[in-house]
Amino acid sequence: MNKKLIRPTDEEDALITAAALSDADALPLTDSEWNAVKASAKRGPGRPIGSGSKAQVTLRLDLEVIQALKATGSGWQTRANEVLRKWAHHQ
């Protein structure tokens, strides 16, 4: 099935916008309200947002260390990075 987006004409868009604005219970968010919503929104599952300053490396660790990290569940690599970062800041 070929799905194509049918955009409203400028006239139709103006009528839709006017109808939406006339509903006092459904007014659009102001810029400050929208920014507050975006700031409090939580990400869904998946990879955490990267810092943009990470590099991929190969690191050999004892098997028991890897097993202990993996036993803490999903996100173990991020937690390992946090431990190493704290160590580096204290040196």
Side-chain angles (χ1 to χ4, degrees), residues 33-88:
E33 290 171 330
W34 181 240
N35 288 333
V37 168
K38 287 193 295 187
S40 67
K42 303 231 187 244
R43 288 188 74 230
R47 294 183 69 173
I49 296 174
S51 65
S53 61
K54 292 184 179 178
Q56 184 173 348
V57 297
T58 300
L59 180 65
R60 293 186 177 270
L61 301 172
D62 292 337
L63 187 56
E64 64 189 48
V65 172
I66 294 172
Q67 289 172 341
L69 287 168
K70 286 184 176 183
T72 63
S74 180
W76 66 271
Q77 291 174 327
T78 301
R79 285 189 295 281
N81 187 67
E82 290 170 4
V83 169
L84 291 169
R85 183 185 308 113
K86 286 178 185 176
W87 178 85

